[in-house]
């Protein structure tokens, strides 16, 4: 059973640069903190921190749990506060709806610090942060509360500006904390942009149109994994908004410098459902964003078990019935009730002849207790699916295809599904990209494996022992006019061709064969969207070069025809992986399954 004190230790650790610093802030022994976090990992069934170059960093499960834990801890503090002070008139809840990328960055710290101020200033108000699934991470559902207010914060053009977020170049550099960062160091290697929400990418693309940067590369990794990424790509600088770069675990030696010329993305807010404290809350968040103020650690004094016991007593109004429902001896539940009343400083129930009756303070406590129990229940229900995502992960890159019926996709699908039967515990991601990008992703560690159609002798690889000849593809009437039963390379260069760019393996194979014959081709158009390329063929007098299996259905229906190329240009499929590591057992088994499935092609 997850306890609130464990959650408070975990949230504090997410805000600090190390466990030793966390223990110092919490004023507890490091061993006490370590044991509490180990127990929490056991209780949620997932690893919350992962070791990287510079210590520890929160995992996907850790970032999910933080979003779930903060509302629980806010509700515990609210319950103690309102009951202790005897607030009979409670303000409706106020939800801070964060339509922003959550990465445990400066924005999440500022919101936590602002809500701490709100607790002290308005003790009868419950203000709850709710991070939406803007960034593809597991969402945390929230039950709507009638009469609650809502303020939405997000990127884009809706609402008033609350924060201007400058973009920076960030890089792990072994420099002193106070040393200035030289722009030459930042630009010495590649520039990597992690996966960011569409509004941020729109800002960046607009910027790059007028101020291009050399050697920029986009990767599918979440910014929350920045501690790992900076350790894996020590020669690279990362381009992203400064708010993502909070001083926390794993990012101690990451230095940053602003772009020149500057790029600034704007965080805006708007009030969806009115609330009397909306303006005050906004100003506190604005102030904390400007000052970079650290949130104070949570210090819960009530336990999850106590809230559960209170709920049983309140519903049954009888200690014997409550202890029976809790499956504990009556003295145990009586003892916990007394401890709750000591914390609150007031009695929660009065004894009557026919049972227990909540006092005025008990009724106030009930409202907060319901908030705590609801949020704990949400955490319990959804942790299996969301936190459970923090498992072994395997990323495989595949080539773009015209049709889901192509041999590449059908056999790849067969292999993956067969492998999945014996590896249900591994999270599998399939990413599609052209050959050159897949190769870059393998070299950078973005993906584990990739299926390519060109020979890469410099890379570790397994042949799939599958080869298909390339053919000229066109409409039937065009083929009758332009080509014969067989196409030699010289005549091919004179065809009106639509081809993908040389980031695609098919184009690389064609150009390589032509160069060997001292020939070259100038296509009429270059189109990297293969479905669009085929759509153009069906409406124009152009041709292209593809394996027949890519357009099998069109060939069978007669809407397109193929003409063999002589000499043959073979597309040979292989699986590549990084030379810098050994394959895991699961990766080897997937490769073996693919080789079995593709054999004989």
């Amino acid at each position: 059973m997850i306890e609130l004190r464990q959650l408070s230790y975990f949230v504090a650790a997410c805000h600090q640069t190390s466990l030793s610093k966390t223990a110092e802030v919490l004023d507890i022994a490091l061993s006490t903190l370590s044991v509490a976090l180990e127990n929490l990992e056991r209780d949620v069934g997932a690893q919350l921190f992962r070791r990287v170059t510079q210590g520890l960093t929160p995992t996907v499960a850790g970032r999910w749990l933080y979003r779930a834990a903060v509302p629980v801890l806010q509700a515990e503090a609210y319950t103690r506060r309102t009951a202790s002070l005897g607030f009979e008139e409670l303000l409706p809840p106020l939800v801070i709806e964060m339509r922003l990328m959550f990465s445990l960055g400066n924005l999440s710290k500022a919101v936590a610090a602002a809500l701490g101020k709100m607790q002290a200033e308005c003790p009868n108000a419950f203000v709850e942060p709710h991070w939406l699934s803007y960034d593809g991470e597991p969402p945390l559902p929230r039950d709507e509360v009638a009469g609650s207010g809502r303020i939405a914060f997000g990127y884009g053009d809706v609402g008033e500006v609350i924060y201007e977020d400058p973009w920076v170049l960030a890089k792990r550099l072994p420099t002193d904390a106070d040393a200035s960062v030289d722009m030459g160091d930042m630009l010495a290697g590649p520039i990597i942009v992690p996966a960011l929400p569409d509004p941020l990418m729109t800002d960046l693309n607009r910027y790059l149109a007028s101020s291009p940067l050399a050697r920029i590369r986009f990767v599918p990794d979440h910014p929350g994994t920045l501690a790992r990424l900076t350790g894996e790509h020590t020669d690279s600088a990362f381009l992203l908004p400064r708010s993502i770069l909070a001083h926390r675990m794993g990012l101690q030696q990451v230095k940053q410098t602003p772009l020149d010329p500057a790029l600034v993305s704007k965080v805006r807010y708007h009030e969806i459902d009115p609330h009397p404290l909306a303006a005050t809350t906004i100003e506190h968040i604005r102030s904390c964003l400007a000052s970079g103020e650290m949130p104070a650690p949570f210090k819960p004094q009530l336990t999850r078990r106590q809230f559960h016991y209170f709920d049983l007593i309140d519903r049954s109004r009888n200690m014997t019935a409550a202890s029976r429902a809790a499956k504990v001896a009556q003295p145990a539940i009586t003892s916990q009730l007394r401890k709750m009343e000591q914390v609150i400083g007031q009695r929660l129930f009065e004894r009557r002849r026919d049972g227990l009756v909540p006092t005025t303070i008990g009724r106030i406590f009930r409202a907060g207790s319901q908030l705590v129990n609801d949020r704990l229940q949400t955490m319990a229900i959804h942790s299996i699916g969301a936190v459970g995502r923090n498992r072994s992960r395997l990323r495989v890159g595949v080539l773009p295809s015209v049709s889901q019926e192509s041999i590449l996709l059908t056999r790849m699908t067969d292999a993956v599904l067969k492998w999945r039967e014996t590896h249900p515990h591994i999270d599998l991601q399939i990413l599609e990209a052209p050959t050159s990008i897949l190769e870059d992703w393998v070299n950078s560690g973005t993906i584990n494996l990739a299926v390519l159609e060109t020979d890469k002798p410099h890379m570790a690889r397994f042949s799939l022992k599958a080869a298909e000849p390339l053919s000229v593809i066109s409409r039937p009437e065009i083929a009758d006019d332009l080509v014969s039963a067989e196409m030699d390379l010289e005549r091919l260069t004179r065809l009106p061709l639509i081809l993908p760019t040389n980031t695609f393996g098919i184009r690389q194979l064609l150009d390589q064969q032509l160069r060997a014959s001292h020939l070259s081709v100038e296509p009429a158009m270059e189109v990297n969207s293969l479905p669009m390329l085929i759509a153009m063929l069906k409406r124009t007098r152009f041709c292209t070069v593809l394996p027949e299996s890519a357009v099998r259905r069109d060939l069978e229906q007669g809407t397109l025809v193929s003409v063999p190329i002589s000499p043959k240009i073979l597309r040979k499929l292989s699986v590549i992986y990084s030379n810098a590591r050994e394959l895991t057992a699961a990766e080897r088994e997937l490769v073996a399954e693919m080789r079995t499935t593709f054999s004989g092609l």
Side-chain angles (χ1 to χ4, degrees):
M1 178 181 288
I2 299 173
E3 272 304 341
L4 304 189
R5 183 161 296 182
Q6 292 176 342
L7 289 179
S8 70
Y9 290 172
F10 166 73
V11 169
C14 289
H15 290 159
Q16 302 300 328
T17 56
S18 66
L19 291 186
S20 59
K21 180 65 176 176
T22 306
E24 180 184 331
V25 169
L26 294 172
D27 194 23
I28 60 175
L30 178 58
S31 59
T32 301
L33 174 63
S34 298
V35 170
L37 294 179
E38 288 173 6
N39 290 338
L40 182 60
E41 288 187 327
R42 185 196 64 235
D43 291 340
V44 300
Q47 183 183 0
L48 301 177
F49 294 100
R50 178 173 287 124
R51 186 159 296 281
V52 292
T53 305
Q54 294 297 319
L56 301 175
T57 187
T59 61
V60 173
R63 297 194 299 272
W64 186 93
L65 187 62
Y66 177 96
R67 290 181 288 169
V70 169
V72 173
L73 296 170
Q74 293 275 16
E76 187 275 340
Y78 169 79
T79 304
R80 275 189 294 110
R81 193 169 62 243
T82 54
S84 297
L85 298 175
F87 280 108
E88 293 191 56
E89 184 178 345
L90 302 176
L91 291 172
L94 173 60
V95 176
I96 308 299
E97 203 169 84
M98 306 301 291
R99 302 175 180 179
L100 300 164
M101 169 159 283
F102 180 80
S103 60
L104 279 170
N106 292 323
L107 288 169
S108 63
K109 284 189 174 184
V111 170
L115 297 190
K117 290 185 175 183
M118 290 295 298
Q119 286 182 0
E121 189 172 316
C122 308
N124 63 333
F126 178 62
V127 185
E128 176 182 11
H130 182 63
W131 293 83
L132 300 184
S133 182
Y134 198 115
D135 50 14
E137 291 211 327
L140 180 68
R142 180 182 63 85
D143 295 330
E144 297 292 338
V145 178
S148 62
R150 274 195 305 161
I151 309 170
F153 290 78
Y155 308 111
D157 302 321
V158 178
E160 299 294 322
V161 175
I162 192 170
Y163 181 64
E164 293 191 344
D165 199 0
W167 288 61
V168 297
L169 287 168
K171 190 174 185 179
R172 190 178 295 282
L173 295 171
T175 58
D176 295 333
D178 298 330
S180 60
V181 180
D182 180 59
M183 181 61 79
D185 289 335
M186 290 291 182
L187 300 178
I191 297 174
I192 295 177
V193 180
L196 297 171
D198 289 343
L200 292 180
M201 292 305 299
T202 298
D203 290 345
L204 177 58
N205 289 331
R206 190 181 297 121
Y207 176 89
L208 294 176
S210 58
S211 303
L213 293 170
R215 292 197 290 173
I216 192 165
R217 188 156 59 90
F218 297 87
V219 298
D221 298 82
H222 189 278
T225 65
L226 198 61
R228 173 180 61 81
L229 291 174
T230 55
E232 292 176 352
H233 305 281
T234 54
D235 64 330
S236 299
F238 290 79
L239 178 57
L240 67 181
R242 189 173 64 190
S243 64
I244 293 173
L245 289 164
H247 192 56
R248 61 168 174 81
M249 284 189 179
L251 297 181
Q252 298 92 311
Q253 289 189 343
V254 174
K255 312 302 178 183
Q256 55 182 277
T257 189
L259 284 178
D260 185 18
L263 167 60
V264 177
S265 292
K266 296 178 179 180
V267 178
R268 299 175 184 268
Y269 71 90
H270 65 284
E271 196 172 349
I272 300 175
D273 298 316
H275 192 278
L277 294 181
T280 304
T281 303
I282 289 167
E283 286 312 306
H284 279 311
I285 294 176
R286 190 194 304 274
S287 172
C288 291
L289 282 168
S291 65
E293 187 170 343
M294 280 284 291
F298 289 101
K299 296 182 178 180
Q301 298 176 39
L302 298 171
T303 68
R304 177 175 185 165
R305 178 178 301 169
Q306 288 169 347
F307 281 109
H308 177 57
Y309 287 172
F310 174 87
D311 181 53
L312 294 177
I313 297 169
D314 188 42
R315 284 193 285 113
S316 65
R317 304 295 174 92
N318 183 282
M319 293 298 290
T320 302
S323 62
R324 190 181 302 117
K327 298 180 181 179
V328 297
Q330 183 173 327
I333 202 166
T334 301
S335 173
Q336 291 300 321
L337 176 59
R338 286 175 181 164
K339 288 180 180 180
M340 281 188 278
E341 291 177 332
Q342 288 173 359
V343 169
I344 301 302
Q346 305 275 358
R347 292 191 63 186
L348 298 176
F349 293 94
E350 292 180 358
R351 283 190 176 273
R352 301 281 177 86
R353 252 190 249 173
D354 55 349
L356 301 174
V357 177
T359 62
T360 300
I361 300 303
R363 290 193 294 271
I364 296 171
F365 188 93
R366 178 195 297 155
S369 178
Q370 187 63 50
L371 289 173
V372 174
N373 286 325
D374 285 348
R375 278 140 192 81
L376 284 171
Q377 184 178 23
T378 296
M379 182 189 297
I381 292 172
H382 296 279
S383 64
I384 295 174
V387 178
R389 284 187 57 180
N390 185 50
R391 307 178 300 173
S392 298
R393 184 183 66 183
L394 178 58
R395 282 179 164 173
V396 180
V398 297
L399 298 163
S401 186
V402 177
S403 166
Q404 63 184 15
E405 298 172 346
S406 70
I407 288 178
L408 173 62
L409 286 193
T410 55
R411 299 208 179 185
M412 185 73 183
T413 299
D414 290 342
V416 166
L417 293 179
K418 183 69 174 175
W419 173 87
R420 184 70 176 169
E421 291 176 3
T422 55
H423 297 82
H425 59 288
I426 296 179
D427 285 333
L428 179 67
Q429 294 182 359
I430 308 292
L431 305 177
E432 183 182 84
T435 302
S436 296
I437 294 177
L438 291 178
E439 185 178 352
D440 286 345
W441 284 355
V442 168
N443 284 326
S444 67
T446 300
I447 59 178
N448 305 75
L449 308 168
V451 178
L452 298 189
E453 57 200 353
T454 52
D455 189 21
K456 299 292 180 182
H458 60 287
M459 298 196 70
R461 67 196 186 280
F462 291 97
S463 171
L464 291 180
K465 299 180 180 178
E468 289 183 275
L470 301 183
S471 299
V472 174
I473 308 295
S474 71
R475 286 163 46 196
E477 59 271 29
I478 307 305
D480 291 341
D481 294 340
L482 298 179
V483 302
S484 59
E486 193 171 73
M487 176 64 59
D488 62 60
L489 294 179
E490 186 174 0
R491 292 189 62 224
L492 186 149
T493 62
R494 299 197 297 267
L495 295 179
L497 290 170
I498 303 176
L499 297 173
T501 65
N502 62 8
T503 60
F504 278 66
I506 289 174
R507 177 67 181 276
Q508 294 172 20
L509 290 171
L510 176 60
D511 287 346
Q512 180 182 350
Q513 187 73 32
L514 290 172
R515 282 195 301 270
S517 300
H518 306 289
L519 296 170
S520 63
V521 65
E522 291 293 335
M525 281 191 286
E526 291 184 314
V527 178
N528 280 357
S529 168
L530 296 185
M532 179 178 283
L533 187 154
I534 296 303
M536 288 182 172
L537 288 190
K538 293 179 179 180
R539 301 184 188 183
T540 65
R541 295 183 61 80
F542 290 109
C543 308
T544 194
V545 174
L546 288 172
E548 289 186 356
S549 67
V551 288
R552 175 181 298 171
R553 175 166 291 190
D554 285 299
L555 296 178
E556 292 173 351
Q557 295 175 346
T559 53
L560 293 174
V561 296
S562 68
V563 178
I565 298 173
S566 179
K568 286 184 178 181
I569 305 175
L570 293 178
R571 178 173 85 155
K572 299 178 181 179
L573 298 177
S574 60
V575 180
I576 65 169
Y577 62 98
S578 173
N579 294 313
R581 67 181 184 87
E582 295 291 328
L583 288 183
T584 65
E587 290 168 344
R588 289 186 180 278
E589 289 170 24
L590 178 56
V591 171
E593 197 63 56
M594 285 192 284
R595 296 183 80 177
T596 299
T597 305
F598 277 94
S599 64
L601 178 61

